[in-house]
Amino acid sequence: MPNMSLKKNPMPAQEADVRNKNFYEVTFGYTAETAIDEAKRCLNCKNKPCMGGCPVRIHIPEFIQKVAEGAFEEAYHIIQQTSSLPAVCGRVCPQETQCEQKCVRGIKGEPVAIGRLERFVADWHNANSCDLPTKAEPNGHKAAVIGSGPAGLTCAGDLAKRGYDVTIFEALHLAGGVLVYGIPEFRLPKAIVQKEIDNLKALGVKVETNMVIGRVLSIDELMDEYGFEAVFIGSGAGLPRFMNIPGENLKSVYSANEFLTRVNLMKAYKDDSRTPVLHAKKVCVVGGGNVAMDAARSAKRLGAEEVTIVYRRSRAELPARAEEVEHAEEEGIVFKFLTNPTAIVEGENGMVAGMTCVEMELGEPDASGRRRPVVKEGSEFNIECDAVIMALGTSPNPLIKNTTKGLETQKWGGIIADEHGQTSREGVFAGGDAVTGAATVILAMGAGKAAAEAMDEYIRSKNQTK
Amino acid sequence: MYKIVKKRELNPTVTLMEVDAPFVARKAEPGQFIILRVDEEGERIPLTVADFDREKGTVTIIFQIVGGTTERLNHLNEGEYIQDFVGPLGEPSHTEGLKKVAVVGGGVGCAIAYPVAKKLHEQGAEVHSVVGFRNKDLVILEEEFSAVSNVFKMMTDDGSYGEKGLVTDALKALIEAGNSYDEVIAIGPVVMMKFVSLLTKQYGIKTVVSMNPIMIDGTGMCGCCRLTVAGKTRFACVDGPDFDGHEVDYDEILKRASTYKEFEAKEREKACNLFKKEVR
């Protein structure tokens, strides 16, 4: 008999007033009992609408049935068939707009907590199973993956499982991409990312760090001199966008990328870190995505007394995951909706003294389908702050585009690729933020997965016709 | 891990290291930079490529000891290893088509100006070099620099070596003497580059300066190295480090460079204590 409770089992978490002062993970995850209880809420629908909402098509009802039976390792193997990063996705996917949005239980009451169950299964496996994934039989072909973020890791994992000799080229000193430089420890512990990367290495994937493709080696060199038959570009989002308003280059103005890289990758939140970060008292974060939430919550944890998120649209348009917005509010982050900065005010010593803003109202829908914010005349006002973090998205990194002949890009710089990741260059595939512009971890994974399949087909057909 | 194959103290605060880094050496060009981390806990710092040997697979860096990281780096010896060493990054200096160039180097900036002067010399350009230091003890690369220069002017602030005066004095004299340059390339402290640019603007001589702002990733991701050039935000790591000297907002750069000054001083002290050495 299914559990007919209308509500999800809540997930235990650190008290808001405690966690906003530390960098430990916010939530603790389900216990085995809670997981089984939650799994029993699944009706095991025949047509599986939830799967249609998942970019990597996890066999959701099947794994949840195994959880309900207490067969957690079997549940893990079901997830693993289609997802290479379950412990990550269970934590960072926007389930409310994907699988859980399609869940039949959500029609009346709350959907099954698919994300929390996925996380539980992955964590259970990591804690209780010492089985390393087994290497596939080598097929004698080489493939290269540029970038070790979610798109690259997924693509590399799927290719390795098919027997390819895969090398990932990572520009930074550490693999993981946005999972290590962008998403904070309190939302995604780095030990989990490391575990996923170790799993890939166990599959035979090689990771070369400090390799900035486009500078150290070009894509043509990878293919012509190093014998890679296909290349996947998962180089991610690039340079941060700014608003081009006065005062944006003051000392205490950060891009979210810089602020989060200092805090996460370079561990500036630790007292003994050799990478500095300013500890401001009053911080304004501009933007409404997950990155803005991460930056605001990190600033709070670094000791800021007041953190305000300034967003030009209303609450309904916030692109961030619902859970992140809730967590941010619980932690004392203040939201100023329908507000847009027009200038950053200079104080002493080149530091920020405040931000001049205007109030906005929502007009007609724009190209994105969201109502376009327009300025309310005469609404100018000041917010006092000593640091500003700009979280406005990114523009693609120009390095690979500039050094790869024949690789076509959009006007705004994104690499042009079809739904299989095929670019304008034979044998060159791309996916993730490098193609779409800033998006989510799971969409990048979906793209990496599709590209791995297309690369496999491409290499096989090429070798048949020879 | 990247092995230090040669280490040489150029003056009490400036050190040269030749590092085994074949992938960097293969592609490096004058004007480009590398990013390194001394050890597992290290911060990422950018250093400009001072020289490279494609056959040996080595890259030479020259650095001034200013903070904790350079202090720790200076403590490593020949045969020891640097944790991370990535590059070449940034756009190479453009030297094509230049026939007569004035290269101005200030202090440790001479380490970056030298490979540019050398490349110009190798491609047959007439190179007039002006180098400046605070005093005689701080002079570096004199022999190397003068060997690739048709005219070589040494300036010191206190007159303890070469001529007494600023690099702008010598440059002005050269221009006034009737030398017409296709380009002036100025590399050194921001203030020096600012004043060289102010001078050459009066004469309408195209001037290129090399920016060395604070960086983290160095690959076009974090935006920390941004500066204003001709009223637009540019990124030193992917758009530079060379920019049109007449268009750069130097005062903004000077301010931004001081963001972590206190932290840096503390880190240096910590590193010095670690090595039981006095802060010079």
Side-chain angles (χ1 to χ4, degrees):
Chain A
M1 202 24 219
N3 168 359
M4 292 312 290
S5 164
L6 294 182
K7 291 218 169 271
K8 286 179 184 177
N9 277 282
M11 184 156 58
Q14 285 191 69
E15 287 298 325
D17 206 35
V18 173
R19 70 177 190 244
N20 66 10
K21 295 173 190 68
N22 69 52
F23 274 83
Y24 299 116
E25 192 169 14
V26 168
T27 52
F28 300 121
Y30 280 163
T31 60
E33 293 73 36
T34 323
I36 292 172
D37 188 61
E38 183 65 29
K40 287 183 176 162
R41 293 184 64 227
C42 174
L43 302 176
N44 201 4
C45 312
K46 255 197 193 125
N47 58 346
K48 307 174 184 23
C50 50
M51 273 186 73
C54 175
V56 297
R57 303 212 141 244
I58 292 176
H59 299 283
I60 294 166
E62 281 94 327
F63 100 74
I64 292 182
Q65 289 320 298
K66 290 295 170 195
V67 176
E69 291 164 19
F72 305 138
E73 186 64 16
E74 286 175 53
Y76 180 79
H77 288 300
I78 293 170
I79 297 176
Q80 203 203 14
Q81 286 168 15
T82 52
S83 169
S84 34
L85 308 167
V88 174
C89 290
R91 286 172 167 81
V92 305
C93 269
Q95 289 96 3
E96 72 268 18
T97 58
Q98 296 179 166
C99 52
E100 293 183 18
Q101 191 187 40
K102 307 262 161 114
C103 176
V104 169
R105 292 299 305 265
I107 298 169
K108 194 181 164 200
E110 290 182 347
V112 175
I114 301 169
R116 292 173 186 176
L117 288 172
E118 180 185 24
R119 169 183 165 166
F120 166 78
V121 169
D123 288 356
W124 190 92
H125 168 84
N126 285 343
N128 294 293
S129 164
C130 32
D131 295 358
L132 278 176
T134 39
K135 278 189 197 180
E137 196 59 40
N139 68 11
H141 297 287
K142 278 172 78 178
V145 170
I146 302 168
S148 62
L153 293 178
T154 304
C155 184
D158 278 20
L159 287 169
K161 284 178 198 164
R162 289 177 160 96
Y164 286 92
D165 177 357
V166 184
T167 306
I168 299 181
F169 294 93
E170 167 54 48
L172 292 173
H173 58 263
L174 187 66
V178 73
L179 306 175
V180 296
Y181 76 71
I183 303 178
E185 178 77 16
F186 59 82
R187 198 149 80 80
L188 178 64
K190 301 309 149 220
I192 288 170
V193 181
Q194 194 51 51
K195 177 98 190 175
E196 302 283 15
I197 291 164
D198 290 344
N199 281 339
L200 282 187
K201 286 183 178 167
L203 282 172
V205 173
K206 284 168 260 182
V207 181
E208 298 284 347
T209 51
N210 293 332
M211 294 298 268
V212 184
I213 301 304
R215 291 276 186 221
V216 181
L217 288 172
S218 67
I219 285 182
D220 290 286
E221 284 169 311
L222 288 178
M223 298 180 90
D224 302 342
E225 290 175 34
Y226 290 85
F228 291 102
E229 293 169 65
V231 178
F232 175 73
I233 307 169
S235 52
L239 287 160
R241 290 214 186 100
F242 289 92
M243 297 183 73
N244 298 315
I245 57 174
E248 232 171 357
N249 292 348
L250 289 171
K251 286 196 312 200
S252 48
V253 179
Y254 285 112
S255 75
N257 269 9
E258 179 189 352
F259 182 71
L260 290 171
T261 301
R262 285 180 182 276
V263 174
N264 299 326
L265 178 71
M266 306 311 295
K267 302 195 166 34
Y269 68 90
K270 294 185 175 169
D271 285 338
D272 61 351
S273 171
R274 287 191 222 146
T275 301
V277 69
L278 297 171
H279 293 238
K281 289 287 161 222
K282 291 183 176 181
V283 180
C284 277
V285 179
V286 184
N290 286 319
V291 175
M293 304 301 135
D294 286 345
R297 297 169 72 196
S298 298
K300 186 81 185 172
R301 281 162 171 77
L302 289 177
E305 287 153 13
E306 248 179 71
V307 181
T308 309
I309 288 183
V310 172
Y311 181 53
R312 63 190 183 130
R313 301 177 198 253
S314 72
R315 176 182 292 267
E317 287 84 19
L318 275 177
R321 272 178 101 211
E323 190 178 90
E324 306 314 323
V325 178
E326 268 163 46
H327 280 159
E329 284 189 310
E330 288 168 12
E331 288 166 16
I333 311 293
V334 178
F335 285 78
K336 267 197 145 356
F337 294 109
L338 292 166
T339 301
N340 206 29
T342 53
I344 300 168
V345 184
E346 181 166 357
E348 272 174 53
N349 235 334
M351 303 289 278
V352 172
M355 202 162 73
T356 310
C357 299
V358 285
E359 288 176 28
M360 311 292 280
E361 51 198 356
L362 293 180
E364 294 300 305
D366 62 13
S368 74
R370 297 179 298 180
R371 290 173 67 192
R372 185 197 300 275
V374 284
V375 178
K376 257 197 218 170
E377 287 305 319
S379 62
E380 201 172 275
F381 68 101
N382 279 302
I383 304 180
E384 200 187 306
C385 60
D386 51 6
V388 172
I389 301 171
M390 292 290 180
L392 305 163
T394 57
S395 328
N397 189 310
L399 277 185
I400 288 178
K401 174 188 88 176
N402 292 348
T403 53
T404 311
K405 269 190 210 128
L407 184 69
E408 283 173 22
T409 55
Q410 312 271 6
K411 259 195 199 136
W412 51 271
I415 296 168
I416 296 176
D418 68 13
E419 71 268 33
H420 308 292
Q422 176 65 58
T423 68
S424 55
R425 273 282 302 266
E426 194 192 321
V428 180
F429 299 77
D433 285 4
V435 169
T436 57
T440 60
V441 168
I442 188 71
L443 283 175
M445 287 177 57
K449 197 171 187 61
E453 207 177 306
M455 288 163 82
D456 179 40
E457 264 172 40
Y458 165 76
I459 292 175
R460 280 209 262 167
S461 67
K462 203 179 78 174
N463 285 287
Q464 268 168 10
T465 52
K466 256 183 192 171
Chain B
M1 301 284 271
Y2 303 80
K3 192 175 183 179
I4 299 163
V5 296
K6 186 169 115 187
K7 179 182 177 185
R8 187 154 65 96
E9 192 178 274
L10 299 185
N11 75 31
T13 63
V14 176
T15 301
L16 172 151
M17 275 182 185
E18 192 178 336
V19 180
D20 187 38
F23 273 109
V24 187
R26 251 185 95 204
K27 289 276 180 76
E29 291 289 344
Q32 290 187 297
F33 64 94
I34 58 98
I35 290 228
L36 64 77
R37 281 202 320 154
V38 174
D39 55 39
E40 277 285 1
E41 302 301 316
E43 64 169 339
R44 295 170 66 94
I45 62 157
L47 288 171
T48 309
V49 170
D51 208 349
F52 48 85
D53 186 326
R54 298 208 206 282
E55 270 167 38
K56 269 168 72 187
T58 60
V59 172
T60 300
I61 49 171
I62 293 176
F63 58 93
Q64 185 158 25
I65 305 157
V66 287
T69 296
T70 38
E71 184 68 52
R72 281 167 212 267
L73 180 60
N74 193 47
H75 196 70
L76 294 177
N77 290 311
E78 277 175 22
E80 292 187 301
Y81 291 84
I82 296 171
Q83 180 74 29
D84 294 293
F85 194 91
V86 55
L89 301 169
E91 289 291 318
S93 296
H94 296 293
T95 53
E96 318 78 67
L98 298 178
K99 299 273 185 298
K100 185 170 177 177
V101 182
V103 178
V104 183
V108 74
C110 291
I112 311 165
Y114 164 67
V116 182
K118 182 176 154 193
K119 185 170 181 189
L120 285 162
H121 175 75
E122 280 167 0
Q123 72 188 39
E126 184 178 342
V127 178
H128 293 190
S129 298
V130 179
V131 298
F133 299 90
R134 284 210 310 278
N135 61 54
K136 185 174 185 227
D137 294 340
L138 300 179
V139 170
I140 59 169
L141 299 175
E142 183 185 0
E143 252 176 58
E144 290 87 342
F145 230 119
S146 60
V148 297
S149 307
N150 303 72
V151 172
F152 181 74
K153 297 275 181 199
M154 168 69 69
M155 308 296 288
T156 49
D157 292 0
D158 63 355
S160 55
Y161 197 59
E163 276 176 55
K164 182 178 169 156
L166 301 172
V167 287
T168 40
D169 300 333
L171 180 62
K172 187 172 181 177
L174 285 169
I175 297 169
E176 291 286 330
N179 286 297
S180 80
Y181 299 113
D182 298 335
E183 198 171 296
V184 171
I185 297 171
I187 305 172
V190 176
V191 176
M192 182 207 92
M193 294 191 280
K194 176 182 172 175
F195 282 95
V196 167
S197 299
L198 284 172
L199 175 74
T200 55
K201 198 164 185 181
Q202 292 169 25
Y203 295 96
I205 307 168
K206 185 185 172 194
T207 299
V208 172
V209 293
S210 175
M211 290 295 140
N212 190 12
I214 302 173
M215 285 186 188
I216 308 178
D217 71 298
T219 64
M221 184 273 280
C222 83
C224 174
C225 65
R226 66 190 185 276
L227 66 161
T228 305
V229 183
K232 279 199 185 132
T233 294
R234 308 289 302 275
F235 300 96
C237 69
V238 288
D239 300 325
D242 288 0
F243 291 100
D244 180 342
H246 297 152
E247 299 287 355
V248 169
D249 182 342
Y250 295 100
D251 297 340
E252 182 183 276
I253 290 166
L254 281 168
K255 274 187 201 157
R256 283 185 68 79
S258 70
T259 309
Y260 302 105
K261 224 171 187 171
E262 272 173 47
F263 181 93
E264 280 162 18
K266 250 186 252 162
E267 275 299 302
R268 169 113 197 258
E269 212 178 290
K270 256 200 261 170
C272 289
N273 287 341
L274 193 68
F275 305 128
K276 296 210 176 356
K277 199 179 127 188
E278 269 178 50
V279 182
R280 266 193 285 241

